[in-house]
Amino acid sequence: MGVLIQIMLATLLSSVLSIILAGLISFKFLDQYMSKMLCISTGLLITVAFTHLLPEAFEIHENAVSIGWTLLVSVLFLFGIEYYFNSHHSHTDHEGTVVSEMIENSRKGAKGGNAILIGDAFHNLTDGILIASAFMVSNSLGWITAFAIMAHEIPQEVGDFMVLLHSGFERANALMWNIISGLTSMVGGLFGYFLLDKVEWMVPYAFAIAAASFIYIAMSDLLPEIARKEKAESFLIQMLFILIGVAIAVAATGSMHAH
């Protein structure tokens, strides 16, 4: 089997299959525990961002300032997206109930959901480049890398599905848009195969953009929502489930730093 075909299969396996498995887990077992899952999702996102994506970006790129600027611009860009939808909604409330409800649904879907999809797209693009790089060394290393990426993608994607459902996405739409976002890994695989020497500079910036989106969603959407939850759920219980998310992320991504 040719190297390019193996790269395409490996990127498809590591992204789309992990998304489908995460969707099955989320929709069948976990969506009834949305409150707890929001806490776990928060722990997953901030841990992946701070202990996986950002360290990788700083390790690859020698200029830490440029990574910092990428984080800053990404956060402001995501804020601009959310502000646009909120502002658009407030200026069109008078247009009628049906239109208002449609805009409200769009705004809800945009809050958190769109940002997490953007971050995932960059993250998956980078994963595709990494898989292609590994295959350029050897086929066995490529498949090991693909399975390692899939192992850490599944728990993260479960957290992403919780964010999308919380943001107002229907299950079918959440699955569809997550798969579309996951397909960028195949684009990254193609870039890596044909243009590896020309696209390597993109990798740390893609990591930084993905990290910014995860941090932004956790801090601007999930944590405030958790703080507003019913008083029956104490701070200690909420922190416990956030720490469970942290532990899952550490267990899933720990092997990725063995290199």
Side-chain angles (χ1 to χ4, degrees):
M1 186 184 299
V3 174
L4 179 58
I5 295 177
Q6 291 190 72
I7 291 173
M8 292 295 95
L9 288 176
T11 52
L12 187 67
L13 176 71
S14 66
S15 59
V16 176
L17 181 58
S18 65
I19 289 171
I20 293 174
L21 291 175
L24 291 174
I25 294 171
S26 302
F27 300 156
K28 294 293 185 181
F29 303 108
L30 301 179
D31 62 337
Q32 58 182 313
Y33 305 108
M34 179 66 77
S35 176
K36 305 293 190 302
M37 287 308 302
L38 287 179
C39 295
I40 293 177
S41 298
T42 301
L44 281 168
L45 292 177
I46 59 178
T47 304
V48 168
F50 285 117
T51 70
H52 176 58
L53 298 176
L54 287 179
E56 289 283 357
F58 286 120
E59 181 179 339
I60 297 172
H61 203 287
E62 296 179 356
N63 189 346
V65 174
S66 64
I67 298 299
W69 274 106
T70 303
L71 283 169
L72 174 61
V73 172
S74 300
V75 168
L76 293 177
F77 174 75
L78 294 170
F79 172 73
I81 291 177
E82 184 173 331
Y83 180 84
Y84 168 78
F85 278 94
N86 288 337
S87 176
H88 184 62
H89 168 67
S90 65
H91 285 121
T92 51
D93 274 343
H94 64 281
E95 295 182 9
T97 303
V98 175
V99 175
S100 179
E101 288 178 355
M102 291 174 62
I103 296 170
E104 173 64 13
N105 290 336
S106 174
R107 183 188 68 82
K108 286 175 62 181
K111 185 173 177 62
N114 286 344
I116 207 70
L117 290 172
I118 291 171
D120 260 352
F122 279 98
H123 188 190
N124 292 324
L125 178 73
T126 304
D127 285 343
I129 295 174
L130 294 177
I131 290 172
S133 302
F135 270 104
M136 300 305 283
V137 176
S138 70
N139 290 342
S140 60
L141 180 60
W143 283 109
I144 290 172
T145 302
F147 280 110
I149 288 175
M150 185 175 71
H152 92 261
E153 281 293 314
I154 291 176
Q156 178 195 309
E157 292 293 348
V158 170
D160 292 348
F161 272 113
M162 293 300 104
V163 175
L164 292 173
L165 294 175
H166 164 66
S167 300
F169 280 73
E170 297 293 335
R171 291 185 179 187
N173 285 337
L175 181 61
M176 178 187 71
W177 285 110
N178 229 357
I179 289 176
I180 291 173
S181 173
L183 290 176
T184 58
S185 66
M186 300 183 72
V187 177
L190 287 172
F191 281 170
Y193 180 77
F194 290 107
L195 304 168
L196 185 59
D197 57 333
K198 295 182 174 62
V199 299
E200 281 185 315
W201 66 270
M202 295 172 49
V203 173
Y205 294 105
F207 275 132
I209 293 171
S213 71
F214 292 174
I215 295 168
Y216 179 81
I217 293 309
M219 298 302 179
S220 72
D221 187 24
L222 298 186
L223 285 177
E225 180 68 20
I226 291 170
R228 288 194 296 267
K229 288 297 179 184
E230 58 271 18
K231 295 181 180 179
E233 293 192 3
S234 69
F235 171 77
L236 291 179
I237 292 176
Q238 291 171 334
M239 281 301 301
L240 172 63
F241 280 93
I242 290 174
L243 292 176
I244 289 174
V246 171
I248 293 173
V250 169
T253 61
S255 62
M256 296 298 293
H257 296 287
H259 65 283

